[in-house]
């Protein structure tokens, strides 16, 4: 019964109308050929046999049996209608079977369109057998000795075979051709639409952090909570904190393979409530937590965690109110995350392109200039000491420029590895530049196992690179101190040197400071530039608010980039 109900709910009006029209046509032909209304009983029986094949057309048993019944009734009726037509002297030589046999195309075509070639062959076999039985049993005479009956049956068996084997070709011909992929044209169209949509958004922004903070503000009005966070996926099967509220900084569980409500909500795409905290460390006491997945289509893109220090704080009514808010927010957050991915891919591709152009263009040409200077030095006549000195100075300057270009290439190609983390990327860059400049580099790292969003890590790396480059090129320092603290969503990168501070006012240095400020603003961070006592400069970028817990720092001093 459930299967029948399901099949009935999926009746196609066009299919039912086509069968009804075919039944009316066969009924009219039968009445015309025989002149006997009693023969319409076969048509009524055929209508009854047709019911399962389209009412329960998806049923694995009833639908095929219905088609077998249609073929059987059609072919048996052909013999009796042919005999009645011949007896009434309306159609000669058994051609009265042509009045009923057109309906044979209906079950055969239905099986073929469902890609059931084996069933179609079986139906043809049933048709051949029942045609023989109908011809032998119909009326007072034997229709099998009538050439017209045999010709009509043979004709429709051949047509049935054609229908069975040609239906797939017909289906492919009727299906509209797939458009030829045009990836760049499609990408241009989508990016143009994205630009238009982004400009029409409130604040014209597609910032995942801003959208997440707005979501937490909305949830504050519908659900109690002392702590809340929005988490999203990152590389390595971990989650990153996009936004967080609460009086205390929380070390949320960010792994998806742990035994937690976070992992359950992510896997099941259903809200999860628990009487324990979703943080790695919690002081204990009564607590209620609610984890709601952010689902866009069929994909989980993030989670919302709400916690309060009370038991039973999230009944079903509160859960429903929260999901009504998070539903629309999922689409907004997915758009922002996709935009971040597109922007990151475009930025990385452009940086790699610039690196290739510099390496294959200017860098190679400068190397050739250096070789030319070397050749000129080797061929100088004796006594040209002044010219030789000028060539040596010029050669040293070319060597310096080539070194700067190589460091610029290294900077362009530097990325935050998904497994290594932000601190490792900053350390690699600082060691490389420290070695080239003879700086003694001191590292202090305090990096949580949780990760920041990839776009945020990339911007922090670029800010650190610019600060280290400025210290190397303009400060004239001997020591460089690099501090990296990451506790999502909080992060602080600090670069200090013992150089001459702000005495240098070269335009390119000031331009670097402007770029760092713009990058910090892009990730909603704060850039601070202060003098260092007794000499030097400290450049720091701070994201979020610092954690209220004791940190265990791993400090390393590495002379000259060791």
């Amino acid at each position: 019964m459930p299967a029948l109900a399901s099949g009935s709910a999926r009746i196609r009006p066009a299919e039912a109308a086509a069968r009804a029209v075919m039944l009316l046509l066969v009924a009219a032909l039968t009445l015309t050929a025989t002149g006997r209304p009693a023969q319409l009983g076969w048509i009524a029986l055929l209508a009854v046999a047709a019911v399962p094949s389209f009412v329960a057309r998806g049923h694995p048993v009833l639908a095929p049996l219905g088609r077998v019944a249609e073929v059987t009734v059609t072919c048996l009726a052909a013999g009796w209608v042919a005999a009645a037509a011949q007896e009434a002297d309306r159609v000669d030589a058994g051609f009265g079977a042509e009045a009923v046999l057109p309906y044979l195309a209906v079950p055969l075509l239905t099986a073929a369109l469902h890609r059931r070639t084996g069933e179609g062959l079986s139906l043809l076999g049933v048709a051949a057998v029942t045609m023989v039985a109908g011809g032998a049993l119909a009326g007072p005479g034997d229709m099998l000795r009538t050439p017209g009956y045999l010709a009509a049956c043979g004709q429709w068996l051949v047509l049935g075979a054609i229908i069975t084997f040609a239906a797939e070709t017909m289906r492919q011909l009727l299906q509209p051709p797939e458009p030829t992929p045009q990836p760049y044209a499609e990408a241009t169209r989508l990016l143009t639409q994205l630009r238009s949509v982004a400009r029409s958004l409130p604040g014209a922004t597609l910032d995942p952090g801003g959208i997440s903070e707005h979501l937490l503000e909305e949830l504050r009005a519908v659900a109690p909570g002392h702590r809340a966070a929005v988490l999203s996926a990152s590389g390595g099967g971990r989650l990153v904190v996009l936004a967080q509220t609460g009086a205390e900084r929380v070390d949320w569980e960010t792994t998806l393979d742990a035994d937690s409500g976070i992992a359950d909500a992510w896997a099941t795409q259903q809200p999860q409530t628990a009487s324990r905290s979703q943080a790695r460390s919690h002081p204990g006491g009564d607590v209620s937590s609610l984890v709601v997945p952010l689902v866009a289509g069929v994909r989980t893109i993030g989670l919302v965690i709400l916690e309060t220090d009370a038991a039973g704080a999230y009944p079903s009514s509160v859960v429903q109110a929260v999901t009504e808010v998070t539903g629309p927010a999922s689409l907004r957050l997915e758009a922002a995350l996709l935009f971040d991915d597109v922007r990151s891919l475009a930025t990385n591709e452009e940086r790699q392109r610039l690196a290739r152009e510099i390496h294959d263009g200017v860098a190679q040409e400068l190397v050739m200039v250096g070789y030319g200077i070397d050749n000129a030095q080797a061929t100088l006549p004796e006594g040209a000491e002044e010219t030789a000195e000028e060539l040596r100075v010029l050669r040293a300057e070319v060597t310096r420029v080539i070194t700067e270009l190589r460091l610029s290439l290294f900077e362009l190609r530097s990325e935050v590895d998904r497994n290594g983390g932000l601190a490792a990327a900053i350390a690699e860059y600082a060691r490389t530049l420290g070695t080239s400049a003879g700086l003694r580099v001191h590292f202090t790292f305090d990096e949580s196992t949780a990760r920041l969003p990839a776009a945020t890590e990339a911007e922090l790396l670029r800010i650190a690179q610019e600060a280290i480059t400025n210290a190397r090129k303009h400060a004239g320092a001997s020591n460089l101190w690099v501090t990296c603290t990451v506790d999502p969503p909080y992060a602080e990168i600090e670069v200090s040197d013992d150089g001459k501070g702000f005495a240098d006012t070269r335009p390119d240095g000031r331009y670097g400071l402007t770029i760092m400020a713009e990058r910090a603003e892009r990730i909603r961070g704060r850039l601070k530039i202060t003098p260092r006592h007794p000499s030097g400069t400290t450049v720091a970028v701070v994201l979020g608010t610092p954690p209220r817990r004791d940190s265990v720092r791993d400090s390393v001093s590495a002379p000259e980039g060791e």
Side-chain angles (χ1 to χ4, degrees), residues 29-35 81-99 143 146 148-149 152:
L29 292 175
T30 300
L31 188 59
T32 302
T34 64
V81 170
Q86 188 170 351
E87 185 178 345
D89 199 21
R90 291 198 173 203
V91 179
D92 295 334
F95 281 104
E98 292 279 5
M143 295 303 299
T146 307
Y149 178 77

Side-chain angles (χ1 to χ4, degrees), residues 343-520:
R343 182 168 56 189
S344 297
L345 288 173
T347 302
N348 292 339
E349 178 62 26
E350 183 64 13
R351 295 178 72 88
Q352 297 301 320
R353 186 189 67 80
L354 287 173
R356 288 193 299 270
E357 287 191 0
I358 293 173
H359 179 271
D360 298 336
V362 178
Q364 298 299 326
E365 292 173 3
L366 282 173
V367 170
M368 296 305 297
V369 170
Y371 290 156
I373 295 173
D374 292 339
N375 291 334
Q377 284 179 312
T379 58
L380 279 178
E382 295 183 4
E385 295 297 333
E386 184 177 348
T387 303
E389 179 62 24
E390 291 178 355
L391 288 176
R392 281 194 292 271
V393 172
L394 182 59
R395 185 65 175 91
E397 182 64 17
V398 170
T399 301
R400 185 191 67 80
V401 173
I402 291 174
T403 302
E404 290 292 336
L405 276 178
R406 287 173 177 168
L407 292 175
S408 297
L409 291 176
F410 176 69
E411 178 180 351
L412 285 171
R413 290 171 173 166
S414 297
E415 300 293 341
V416 180
D417 186 81
R418 289 194 170 215
N419 298 317
L422 177 62
I426 294 176
E428 180 185 10
Y429 186 78
R431 288 191 186 99
T432 301
L433 265 69
T435 300
S436 68
L439 287 172
R440 181 181 178 88
V441 184
H442 309 267
F443 299 113
T444 303
F445 295 149
D446 179 15
E447 188 172 27
S448 169
T449 55
R451 295 289 294 271
L452 292 163
T456 302
E457 288 185 337
E459 295 291 357
L460 290 174
L461 173 62
R462 303 307 172 201
I463 294 172
Q465 287 177 335
E466 185 65 32
I468 294 170
T469 299
N470 285 343
R472 180 185 67 84
K473 294 172 66 174
H474 307 312
S478 301
N479 290 274
L480 190 68
W481 291 268
V482 179
T483 301
C484 178
T485 303
V486 179
D487 185 14
Y490 168 78
E492 181 176 1
I493 311 297
E494 183 180 282
V495 178
S496 297
D497 64 76
D498 57 358
K500 56 188 176 183
F502 288 100
D504 182 32
T505 57
R506 290 174 54 179
D508 54 348
R510 294 297 177 182
Y511 182 64
L513 298 180
T514 302
I515 292 176
M516 286 191 289
E518 291 174 351
R519 290 186 181 278

